[in-house]
């Protein structure tokens, strides 16, 4: 089971690295995340250069695709060539998630439909300008599509992915492992509560 963590130039390190690191705690269970980039090397909003582990074409074969955010999100959604590489995304066979301004990408792709979304405060007016209702919440999912708002909400996106792919027990184990010492139980319960509260079952 493979996860593409789509990471554009100008990316937010917390968004891409927290999700990929948490998911990669499940490698022994055959769930693995790969930083997926449109160019061989991308530079973060803070000047950190990262070599992509997979090219953008990988999104077509990944079981899960997570769209990260960054300071160039509006440039990304305005780039028809770049967006065309994401057109094959298919929520009927893939889990698809977006972190913060990644919601703009899902909106541009037409994947949100009438679904509300979560995003960060700076991206909120731009997501709303796309006709999307933005929730005052850290996480929301409907069926196979999820969005998270706020950098540290990337842990909720990862929790959702692990829960959907491997079950709640696996997600609890991962969050427990990375939780601050002395705060394991509350950290695990907060993550699970956020994911359960934000998930809407589609009938």
């Amino acid at each position: 089971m493979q996860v593409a963590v789509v990471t554009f130039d100008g990316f937010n390190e917390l968004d891409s690295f927290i999700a990929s690191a948490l998911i990669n705690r499940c490698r022994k269970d055959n769930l693995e995340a790969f930083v997926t980039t449109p160019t061989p090397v991308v530079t973060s909003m803070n000047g950190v250069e990262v070599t992509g582990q997979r090219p953008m074409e990988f999104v077509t074969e990944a079981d899960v695709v997570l769209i990260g955010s960054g300071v160039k999100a509006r440039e990304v959604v305005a780039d028809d060539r770049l967006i065309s590489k994401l057109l094959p995304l298919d929520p009927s066979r893939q889990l698809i998630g977006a972190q913060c301004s990644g919601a703009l990408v899902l909106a541009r792709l037409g994947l949100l439909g009438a679904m509300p979304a979560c995003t960060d405060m700076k991206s909120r007016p731009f997501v709303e300008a796309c006709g999307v209702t933005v929730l005052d919440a850290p996480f929301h999912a409907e069926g196979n599509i999820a969005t998270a708002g706020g950098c540290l909400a990337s842990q909720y996106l990862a929790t959702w992915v692990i829960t959907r792919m491997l079950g709640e027990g696996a997600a609890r184990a991962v969050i427990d492992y990375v939780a601050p010492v002395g705060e394991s139980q509350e950290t695990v319960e907060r993550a699970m509560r956020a994911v359960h509260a934000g998930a809407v079952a589609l009938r």
Side-chain angles (χ1 to χ4, degrees):
M1 297 173 285
Q2 301 183 109
V3 181
V5 181
V6 178
T7 303
F8 300 109
D9 206 41
F11 72 96
N12 183 317
E13 299 96 331
L14 294 174
D15 296 345
S16 291
F17 295 158
I18 290 177
S20 59
L22 292 178
I23 292 167
N24 279 331
R25 293 281 178 184
C26 300
R27 280 177 175 152
K28 67 183 186 303
D29 297 313
N30 298 313
L31 178 63
E32 188 169 7
F34 300 91
V35 173
T36 302
T37 57
T39 54
V41 176
V42 291
T43 303
S44 78
M45 59 191 292
N46 293 307
V48 178
E49 291 188 350
V50 173
T51 300
Q53 296 172 292
R54 296 288 186 275
M56 286 291 280
E57 290 73 16
F58 176 62
V59 300
T60 62
E61 61 184 272
D63 303 287
V64 181
V65 178
L66 301 181
I67 310 292
S69 74
V71 294
K72 297 184 178 181
R74 283 183 287 163
E75 294 176 30
V76 169
V77 297
D79 188 330
D80 291 338
R81 182 190 59 80
L82 198 51
I83 287 296
S84 70
K85 295 184 178 181
L86 296 171
L87 288 176
L89 294 187
D90 182 1
S92 71
R93 64 177 183 84
Q94 296 171 303
L95 295 185
I96 300 172
Q99 178 68 39
C100 293
S101 62
L104 280 172
V105 177
L106 296 192
R108 170 69 199 278
L109 292 170
L111 292 173
L112 293 177
M115 172 183 168
C118 299
T119 191
D120 62 282
M121 296 305 294
K122 287 188 176 181
S123 299
R124 180 170 188 151
F126 303 107
V127 175
E128 289 178 330
C130 295
V132 176
T133 299
V134 174
L135 301 173
D136 186 20
F139 177 83
H140 182 74
E142 293 186 14
N144 288 343
I145 298 177
T147 55
C151 299
L152 294 182
S154 55
Q155 65 183 299
Y156 303 149
L157 205 55
T159 298
W160 174 72
V161 170
I162 298 168
T163 298
R164 289 291 305 272
M165 301 300 284
L166 297 174
E168 185 172 316
R172 285 179 173 273
V174 168
I175 300 301
D176 179 74
Y177 187 90
V178 302
V181 172
E183 298 180 1
S184 293
Q185 183 175 353
E186 62 189 91
T187 302
V188 170
E189 294 306 324
R190 181 171 58 249
M192 300 312 304
R193 187 166 57 247
V195 170
H196 288 313
V200 175
L202 295 184
R203 291 179 170 80

